[in-house]
């Protein structure tokens, strides 16, 4: 499980220095939930926290047209985590960002802002708790584009809740859970799904 998560800007700065983090990826999503990212050097961290990092939002789905495309990504210190699948030497961290306008107003197309507005509305309606239990279902392929031109090559022939042998699918699912836990994401359970090479991870 991940160590105590940083809560403040100073926590993040200390962690970056202590672990020798070289790059920080700033993450946000477009209106469809597609993850977007750009990377800054650790030396830019102070400026990122103070004023955010500007980017052109005109090519991001659901963001502004080109004539009003300037956007600012404001990193959220409480979301900082070291990315476990990157090398430890000159490692990589990540933070989710709020997207704001040059006037420092929340951008109405930022999904984080949309979620906050919905939570506030739910609270006004008397709902004071919001529980989420994601169930991620996906396939593992040995190759998505085999040389013979056939469809993707699966890793196993298992079915729902089958106990498969210790094949590549089982190993990759295990590594996925360990990586999620290093990021501070609790996994309740995992299992094989209905289709061949289909797997599920439940987080509640």
């Amino acid at each position: 499980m991940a160590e105590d998560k940083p809560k403040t800007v100073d926590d993040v700065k200390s962690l970056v220095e202590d672990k020798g983090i070289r790059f920080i990826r700033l993450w946000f999503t477009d209106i469809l939930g597609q993850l977007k990212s750009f990377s800054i050097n650790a030396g830019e961290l102070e400026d990122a926290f103070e004023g955010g990092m500007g980017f052109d939002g005109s090519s991001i789905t659901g963001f502004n047209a080109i004539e009003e495309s300037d956007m600012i990504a404001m990193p959220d210190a409480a979301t900082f985590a070291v990315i476990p699948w990157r090398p430890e030497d000159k490692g990589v961290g990540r933070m989710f960002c709020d997207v704001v306008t040059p006037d420092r107003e929340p951008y109405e197309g930022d999904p984080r802002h949309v979620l906050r507005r919905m939570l506030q509305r739910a609270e006004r309606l008397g709902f004071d708790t919001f529980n989420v239990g994601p169930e991620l279902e996906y396939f593992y392929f040995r190759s998505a584009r085999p040389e013979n031109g056939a469809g993707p090559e699966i890793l196993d022939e298992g079915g729902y809740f089958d106990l498969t042998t210790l094949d590549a699918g089982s190993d990759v699912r295990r590594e996925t859970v360990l990586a999620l836990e290093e990021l501070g994401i609790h996994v309740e359970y995992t299992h094989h799904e209905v289709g061949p090479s289909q797997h599920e991870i439940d987080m509640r």
Side-chain angles (χ1 to χ4, degrees):
M1 189 60 80
E3 58 196 73
D4 291 341
K5 293 180 65 175
K7 300 281 194 296
T8 67
V9 170
D10 287 339
D11 290 342
V12 173
K13 290 178 183 176
S14 295
L15 192 56
V16 166
E17 184 174 350
D18 292 346
K19 290 189 171 291
I21 301 299
R22 182 67 176 79
F23 302 100
I24 296 98
R25 289 197 167 274
L26 302 183
W27 286 3
F28 60 95
T29 66
D30 64 20
I31 199 67
L32 300 179
Q34 178 66 47
L35 184 64
K36 304 294 182 179
S37 171
F38 62 96
S39 180
I40 63 172
N41 295 322
E44 301 296 322
L45 192 57
E46 184 89 35
D47 289 343
F49 279 129
E50 285 186 6
M53 302 299 290
F55 69 95
D56 179 1
S58 64
S59 296
I60 307 293
T61 301
F63 281 26
N64 278 341
I66 195 163
E67 61 271 11
E68 47 185 17
S69 60
D70 291 342
M71 296 278 108
I72 298 171
M74 296 294 301
D76 179 352
T79 66
F80 181 86
V82 177
I83 297 179
W85 55 87
R86 302 298 296 153
E88 288 188 19
D89 181 43
K90 298 180 180 176
V92 180
R94 71 96 166 100
M95 280 183 287
F96 283 99
C97 295
D98 293 307
V99 178
V100 300
T101 68
D103 296 328
R104 306 294 162 165
E105 294 295 325
Y107 177 55
E108 61 184 13
D110 175 20
R112 280 172 61 100
H113 177 60
V114 173
L115 177 59
R116 286 193 187 99
R117 285 180 14 228
M118 292 304 100
L119 291 174
Q120 290 167 359
R121 182 171 180 235
E123 188 174 352
R124 289 195 301 270
L125 293 172
F127 300 98
D128 56 4
T129 302
F130 184 75
N131 295 316
V132 178
E135 295 182 0
L136 308 181
E137 295 185 21
Y138 54 91
F139 291 86
Y140 288 133
F141 297 117
R142 192 176 309 280
S143 173
R145 296 183 179 85
E147 293 180 6
N148 62 11
E153 182 183 357
I154 60 175
L155 290 178
D156 65 65
E157 294 284 351
Y160 192 64
F161 267 49
D162 278 357
L163 176 61
T164 59
T165 57
L166 292 178
D167 54 23
S170 299
D171 289 344
V172 175
R173 193 171 75 204
R174 174 182 174 276
E175 292 301 317
T176 301
V177 171
L178 293 175
L180 287 169
E181 289 180 342
E182 285 190 53
L183 287 168
I185 300 171
H186 172 69
V187 175
E188 185 176 36
Y189 61 86
T190 71
H191 62 87
H192 201 288
E193 256 295 338
V194 175
S197 210
Q198 183 182 13
H199 297 259
E200 179 174 318
I201 292 178
D202 290 88
M203 297 171 286
R204 298 180 190 276

